[in-house]
Amino acid sequence: MTAIRTRIAPSPTGDPHLGTAYIALFNLAFARQHGGEFILRIEDTDQERSTPESEKAILDSLRWLGIEWSEGPDVGGPHGPYRQSERGSIYKDYADQLVNNGHAFYCFATSEELNDLRRHQTENKLPIGYDGRGLALSPTQVQQHLDDGIPHVVRMKIPREGMCVFQDMLRGSIEIEWAQVDMQVLLKADGMPTYHLANVVDDHLMGITHVLRGEEWINSAPKHQLLYQYFGWDMPELCHLPLLRNPDKSKLSKRKNPTSIMYYQRMGYLPEALLNYLGRMGWSMPDEREKFSLAEMVANFDVNRVSLGGPIFDQDKLSWLNGLWIRENLNDAEFIQRMQTWAINNNFLAPIVPLIKPRVDKFSDVLPLAGFFLSGMLDLTQDELANKKLEPEQVRKALQFTLWRLEALRHWQKDDIFAICKGMAETLEIKPKDLFATLFVVITGTANSVSVFDAMQILGPDMSRARIRHAVDLLGGVSKKEAKRWDKEYQAL
Ligand code: GLU
């Protein structure tokens, strides 16, 4: 029997997500349980959105959690490079192979043409999707277009009728009508592969035997299965894990819940407790015990024990479990040492000191000034949030709108944070300094503190947003109906 090899294949396009850690954990546990290997590959073919900072944050966060890979961009291995952007012309060669074998074709349609097509389909209530126009070109026309240097993509052929049937380790046979599957672009006009081509080629070349991934990829499976057939390769076993959910059952999203692993690190959760909690997402130990280590999980792992009901990521439950780990597993000396690793250290304090030093006369001033950097949600009252110039309703709305803007901010830098907050105040026709007055309290806990924008940069996006969300809740929250109304208003700004 071939050795089991699993992988995590994150795209470095944002903060390291809890979902990535959860999927990584299950792949790791599955591989180790079977004496196999778990590897890490970076899927950065989306050059516009991928950043080295995000890649570093993902690797650092997974390592912090105790997840280790035996091959990857940082540790190397026999199947490298493990970063798709460094894999040269591999994908183009495979795309050419598919074209030559008649499994894929060139498409010269411009984006205007495709937009017109979509508009026509929408207006006439037709199914939305590519209509196969590239296939209608004769070989001579195709050659002529290529000779003329007309930009083109490569698309895969998809049967127009019948049913695609594939197997999922948890769900058994899954059927999807071919008519629902688009003639996927495999190679973009710039020669870069899309996720589908790169993912299949690399899983094959890296000897991956089992793909455990989030259920949002189920709809990609028909394309992948067909690509494996076109290439004549065995397909890895597929296992689509249930998505993590917010306590209200909606898909875990940063709009409702901090989703970045770095937030949980900053909050002072122990990595082993967070990993333990992620292991409880849809899975349980044979004896149902809640607290277990990674080694215990690996020893007892059985993917068939994964339940498909959407697992709920509940911070209160996590805090309870974390408390058990702190109290039962750390003696006092370890407690001190782990607190130091967490925040009482040079790295953590270095950016804070320049902010507080100008206000410090003696060291006993430090904690009252800087305590909010080490806190989670601040203990604020409605009175403390009261604004001298603005009505509570205005404040609530301004905070919520600012929060939405901040959710879309990619680079968490103080100048950009400032620009967003100022811009939002102006858009809502309130004085920026009036909005800032409340933001000070929301973020730092007092009206007179260090620069709130510096503080937000240091606290990071998730902690800053969580505090704003907490303040909006303190001011009465946003009902579903109101959220809808405000969202409309917000989109129109
Ligand atoms: N790059 C994909 C992601 O960002 C990988 C999906 C898969 O595991 O196939 O999650």
Side-chain angles (χ1 to χ4, degrees), residues 7-13 20 23 27 41-44 84 195 199 203 211-214 216-217 224:
R7 49 65 169 180
I8 182 85
S11 298
T13 53
T20 304
I23 301 289
N27 275 284
R41 177 175 74 233
I42 290 291
E43 298 206 328
D44 57 351
Q84 288 184 328
Y195 152 73
N199 185 272
D203 277 348
V211 168
L212 281 67
R213 64 182 169 201
E216 74 267 35
W217 300 103
H224 295 186

Side-chain angles (χ1 to χ4, degrees), residues 109-165:
T110 61
S111 38
E112 290 85 65
E113 275 178 62
L114 296 174
N115 287 341
D116 285 349
L117 171 65
R118 179 176 282 265
R119 200 168 319 119
H120 171 77
Q121 289 169 333
T122 319
E123 279 167 14
N124 293 287
K125 302 211 162 50
L126 296 166
I128 306 285
Y130 181 71
D131 61 357
R133 57 184 62 193
L135 285 167
L137 298 175
S138 71
T140 333
Q141 283 173 310
V142 170
Q143 197 50 54
Q144 189 61 51
H145 285 1
L146 291 176
D147 292 345
D148 292 347
I150 299 182
H152 56 273
V153 301
V154 173
R155 287 181 184 266
M156 70 186 287
K157 285 191 187 167
I158 299 279
R160 283 298 76 200
E161 49 198 38
M163 201 66 103
C164 170
V165 185

Side-chain angles (χ1 to χ4, degrees), residues 14-168:
D15 289 332
H17 199 279
L18 282 176
T20 304
Y22 153 67
I23 301 289
L25 171 63
F26 280 62
N27 275 284
L28 174 78
F30 181 80
R32 284 213 186 141
Q33 220 288 317
H34 290 89
E37 302 285 347
F38 165 68
I39 76 165
L40 186 146
R41 177 175 74 233
I42 290 291
E43 298 206 328
D44 57 351
T45 54
D46 185 343
Q47 298 272 288
E48 298 236 305
R49 295 177 58 227
S50 299
T51 64
E53 297 80 29
S54 167
E55 177 186 313
K56 181 174 182 325
I58 292 172
L59 267 60
D60 288 350
S61 301
L62 292 178
R63 274 242 165 71
W64 172 73
L65 277 169
I67 290 177
E68 276 168 30
W69 42 97
S70 53
E71 298 165 32
D74 53 340
V75 292
H79 302 279
Y82 292 89
R83 206 176 274 120
Q84 288 184 328
S85 60
E86 289 170 10
R87 291 176 67 74
S89 62
I90 293 182
Y91 311 110
K92 183 173 179 322
D93 295 346
Y94 280 105
D96 288 345
Q97 183 183 322
L98 291 180
V99 174
N100 293 337
N101 294 341
H103 297 310
F105 59 97
Y106 295 116
C107 168
F108 301 88
T110 61
S111 38
E112 290 85 65
E113 275 178 62
L114 296 174
N115 287 341
D116 285 349
L117 171 65
R118 179 176 282 265
R119 200 168 319 119
H120 171 77
Q121 289 169 333
T122 319
E123 279 167 14
N124 293 287
K125 302 211 162 50
L126 296 166
I128 306 285
Y130 181 71
D131 61 357
R133 57 184 62 193
L135 285 167
L137 298 175
S138 71
T140 333
Q141 283 173 310
V142 170
Q143 197 50 54
Q144 189 61 51
H145 285 1
L146 291 176
D147 292 345
D148 292 347
I150 299 182
H152 56 273
V153 301
V154 173
R155 287 181 184 266
M156 70 186 287
K157 285 191 187 167
I158 299 279
R160 283 298 76 200
E161 49 198 38
M163 201 66 103
C164 170
V165 185
F166 61 93
Q167 302 303 316
D168 179 278

